Amino acid sequence: MLSDAEMEHLKMLARLELSETETESLKGDLNRLLAYFDLLSELDTDGVDELARPVDVDSVFRDDVVQAGLEPHTVQALAVETEGGFFKVPRTVDSGE
Amino acid sequence: MSEFEPVIGLEVHLALSTKSKMFCGCPAETFGSAPNTHTCPVCLGLPGSLPTINRAAFDKALMFALALGCSVPERTQFHRKNYFYPDAPKNYQISQYDHPVGEHGFIELGGRRVGVTRCHVEEDAGRSQHPLYAPYSLVDLNRAGAPLLEMVTEPDLRTPEEAREFLNKVRAIARALGVSDANPEEGKLRADVNVSVRRPGAPFGTKVEVKNLNSFRSVQRALEFEIKRQSRILADSGSVRQDTLGWDEGGQKTYLMRTKEGEADYRYFPDPDLPPVRIDAAWLERLRADTPELPDAKEARYVGLGVRADTAALLAYDTELSSFFDRTLKTSGGNAQAVANWLGGDVTGYLNANGLTLETSKLTPEHLARLVDLVERGTISGKVAKELLPDVIGGASPEALVRVRGLEQVTDASALGSVVDAVLAENPKLVDEAKANPKAVNALLGRVIKSTGGKAKPELVRELIVQKLG
């Protein structure tokens, strides 16, 4: 079961601002997810290798060749807001520097 | 403050010098480009896009790891390092975690080994700007996805000067291998430092990390500042907090960036979009065969050729100088020290004073070799050679210059004899002084050489003067 402190830590990592009601509701959902993992943990997986990727291939490379990317105007159109070609985002540093 | 000993470790990021980015075909070199003009669905992290590994970037990272004596695993893989920041468009960085390309290497510094904990491949983040007094930040994702090699050292460094020397060495190795330009001014080599202080022999103290160090000088200054700050705290029986600090170049002081996150907060997990990489013996053999000579080996070879130790080091640690030196030696009469003196001294001095480099100037190894040979054979004096140097650096052939300007050294004793006679006759006072004191011969010698326009061979002139003074 998630503690209140763990919930606050998760909210910080996910950069989420939630009301008390929303937090409680999400905590309930997450605890149900964790309970499902508890159920999966009942399976005996001794001697079964970890499966990080579903397809068994390795060492797939591309050659070091420059290819055309997206046109700058296409990229600009994807952004919520731009300024002089930059993507404009909420300020990420505190100081006025 | 001297009762405390600093303990320093470095994290060095090298921009790998490939044509395209780590996981997509956008150009890797975007320095100076307009913002957001070199991006694609992969490096923008658009839904449905898939990364593919740049073979050249992987080769370069492996070659670097091998050159540092790292052990390389048979199987390596990429992980996702999760964090939210606008310069990381996917909300994770593709990096390596449990099986990096290299572990447990070292770099020799001042006769001892500085441990290299690990080398791993990862992608770079974009760049942010924070306009003055504006409530927003600006993001450019041109650099996002560019290939990086991160090298982490053991806490084996003990002084700020040593940290700076270490970085010089890393840069020399990276440039010699051709894996990175390693130029801090263009952000191709970025270092974060970890520093703590302790009483000698005591366990390690609490360390802080200092980021945003964009020159070797900043690294040294930031370390000096932190060592003083931490020593003062400990001397007052206080305790150092484990923080991430930034370096304020203008104020020459560190400032608090954030309280350090724990590693668990990054929630590393294997990237399911990227298959693991198997590294077999044949691949490593090929890389070893392709590995050029490293600076330490070059230095030893130059010393073996008779070059003085300090000159040998100067040349060996500069890729352009050493490559030019080697090419000059191939075509010269063979006095390595003479070539080294010219290259490390007058040539470098002239280039620096005129804002040139070996690459941008028209100096060729053949012309430098001819110039040195002309002096060595006694055809021209060292003084004349120095006067010719600007033209030779400008692309002129030294032999042609000597022919056209009639600069061959006068080595004919009878021709010189009359010049010596004339100078002696014009300077009776100097003659008396020279008779009394052998050192005063130099004044007469200078006058003779001057009146031949610098073309007289000094040794011969001296001989003649001494002879005529009886």
Side-chain angles (χ1 to χ4, degrees):
Chain A
M1 295 294 268
L2 285 168
S3 70
D4 286 344
E6 282 169 330
M7 268 314 284
E8 288 312 308
H9 189 60
L10 287 177
K11 278 161 65 179
M12 189 275 289
L13 289 177
R15 305 291 188 269
L16 285 176
E17 206 168 43
L18 300 173
S19 70
E20 219 167 294
T21 326
E22 287 168 328
T23 305
E24 277 311 305
S25 158
L26 187 63
K27 190 174 164 186
D29 290 345
L30 288 173
N31 277 329
R32 273 192 290 284
L33 282 172
L34 288 175
Y36 183 66
F37 279 96
D38 285 341
L39 184 66
L40 289 176
S41 295
E42 287 173 20
L43 281 171
D44 180 8
T45 55
D46 280 356
V48 180
D49 284 342
E50 175 189 289
L51 181 71
R53 300 167 183 87
V55 188
D56 187 20
V57 291
D58 63 61
S59 313
V60 181
F61 296 100
R62 43 172 270 275
D63 289 333
D64 183 23
V65 175
V66 172
Q67 289 165 331
L70 292 173
E71 289 296 328
H73 66 87
T74 310
V75 176
Q76 299 288 315
L78 293 170
V80 178
E81 225 183 322
T82 63
E83 183 178 297
F86 291 94
F87 299 140
K88 206 166 164 181
V89 300
R91 196 166 179 91
T92 52
V93 293
D94 294 333
S95 63
E97 57 171 6
Chain B
M1 301 287 171
S2 57
E3 63 182 303
F4 296 103
E5 170 193 60
V7 175
I8 301 164
L10 299 173
E11 288 173 24
V12 184
H13 291 88
L14 290 167
L16 294 169
S17 53
T18 56
K19 297 186 191 78
S20 63
K21 290 185 181 179
M22 188 65 227
F23 300 110
C24 65
C26 290
E29 175 56 72
T30 59
F31 189 78
S33 298
N36 297 312
T37 51
H38 296 296
T39 59
C40 76
V42 174
C43 57
L44 287 174
L46 299 185
S49 62
L50 286 171
T52 43
I53 306 167
N54 182 337
R55 185 192 301 273
F58 212 86
D59 269 341
K60 284 173 193 267
L62 271 178
M63 185 185 274
F64 188 78
L66 286 175
L68 268 44
C70 286
S71 55
V72 171
E74 286 175 20
R75 178 183 177 278
T76 169
Q77 64 176 343
F78 288 98
H79 268 65
R80 292 185 181 181
K81 180 181 181 179
N82 298 277
Y83 65 95
F84 287 97
Y85 206 73
D87 62 13
K90 294 190 293 294
N91 296 332
Y92 61 83
Q93 176 193 30
I94 303 176
S95 184
Q96 295 195 290
Y97 185 60
D98 54 358
H99 302 293
V101 291
E103 284 184 285
H104 315 304
F106 64 90
I107 291 180
E108 292 248 355
L109 189 73
R112 67 185 180 89
R113 289 180 171 193
V114 174
V116 170
T117 317
R118 56 186 273 141
C119 291
H120 68 251
V121 185
E122 60 184 28
E123 57 175 341
D124 209 341
R127 285 167 184 272
S128 304
Q129 289 186 12
H130 314 288
L132 267 174
Y133 309 118
Y136 54 86
S137 294
L138 298 172
V139 177
D140 170 16
L141 296 179
N142 280 343
R143 201 181 63 186
L148 287 183
L149 180 123
E150 178 174 337
M151 182 191 78
V152 183
T153 77
E154 293 292 306
D156 285 349
L157 297 160
R158 288 293 173 271
T159 66
E161 299 75 38
E162 204 174 49
R164 189 174 176 166
E165 280 167 33
F166 181 83
L167 289 172
N168 271 324
K169 192 135 191 187
V170 171
R171 175 170 61 183
I173 293 170
R175 291 172 67 93
L177 293 173
V179 303
S180 171
D181 295 337
N183 176 355
E185 289 72 37
E186 289 181 11
K188 308 291 188 205
L189 186 159
R190 305 196 296 271
D192 300 337
V193 303
N194 286 297
V195 54
S196 62
V197 300
R198 62 170 177 184
R199 289 193 164 81
F204 290 155
T206 306
K207 68 177 181 189
V208 303
E209 183 177 5
V210 189
K211 290 176 166 286
N212 284 356
L213 299 165
N214 52 16
S215 71
F216 293 175
R217 183 209 293 256
S218 306
V219 167
Q220 188 174 344
R221 294 273 169 79
L223 282 169
E224 285 163 358
F225 181 89
E226 262 310 298
I227 290 161
K228 272 191 200 139
R229 188 186 70 90
Q230 293 181 22
S231 301
R232 213 175 296 132
I233 291 174
L234 294 189
D236 291 347
S237 312
S239 56
V240 174
R241 211 173 51 182
Q242 184 176 346
D243 286 326
T244 299
L245 307 177
W247 174 245
D248 173 5
E249 192 67 56
Q252 296 282 300
K253 57 183 167 51
T254 55
Y255 62 90
L256 181 66
M257 279 176 88
R258 58 169 191 256
T259 304
K260 184 93 180 139
E261 291 132 345
E263 188 173 77
D265 290 345
Y266 288 125
R267 293 148 292 151
Y268 279 98
F269 66 89
D271 192 322
D273 287 346
L274 287 162
V277 175
R278 287 195 188 282
I279 304 164
D280 58 19
W283 188 356
L284 294 182
E285 220 25 72
R286 205 168 59 239
L287 285 170
R288 283 202 180 94
D290 288 347
T291 299
E293 188 180 35
L294 288 165
D296 280 351
K298 258 187 208 147
E299 186 181 345
R301 179 162 60 85
Y302 294 165
V303 169
L305 291 173
V307 180
R308 271 197 324 271
D310 55 339
T311 320
L314 175 84
L315 297 177
Y317 281 85
D318 185 312
T319 317
E320 273 82 46
L321 273 180
S322 58
S323 144
F324 202 94
F325 180 60
D326 284 332
R327 284 181 286 144
T328 307
L329 284 189
K330 269 191 196 140
T331 164
S332 106
N335 188 335
Q337 177 66 55
V339 174
N341 282 346
W342 275 95
L343 203 51
D346 289 291
V347 171
T348 307
Y350 182 85
L351 293 174
N352 288 344
N354 291 279
L356 291 166
T357 65
L358 284 170
E359 273 172 17
T360 57
S361 87
K362 293 201 172 82
L363 181 67
T364 66
E366 291 72 24
H367 283 170
L368 180 63
R370 293 294 77 75
L371 187 69
V372 175
D373 289 348
L374 285 170
V375 180
E376 291 293 301
R377 284 202 304 265
T379 311
I380 58 173
S381 65
K383 185 170 170 286
V384 167
K386 281 184 194 202
E387 285 164 11
L388 293 181
L389 187 63
D391 287 327
V392 175
I393 287 177
S397 148
E399 279 150 331
L401 287 174
V402 167
R403 214 165 37 241
V404 170
R405 299 186 191 169
L407 295 171
E408 284 93 348
Q409 196 156 246
V410 181
T411 53
D412 175 355
S414 63
L416 271 180
S418 54
V419 183
V420 173
D421 288 337
V423 170
L424 295 186
E426 284 161 22
N427 299 284
K429 208 175 149 218
L430 288 179
V431 169
D432 289 343
E433 282 171 22
K435 279 181 177 159
N437 173 11
K439 275 189 186 164
V441 169
N442 288 337
L444 290 165
L445 177 71
R447 275 162 212 251
V448 173
I449 290 177
K450 197 177 171 196
S451 63
T452 62
K455 296 192 307 192
K457 192 176 183 181
E459 296 77 25
L460 183 58
V461 176
R462 181 183 295 279
E463 216 171 278
L464 286 170
I465 295 174
V466 171
Q467 199 183 319
K468 284 176 196 287
L469 288 176

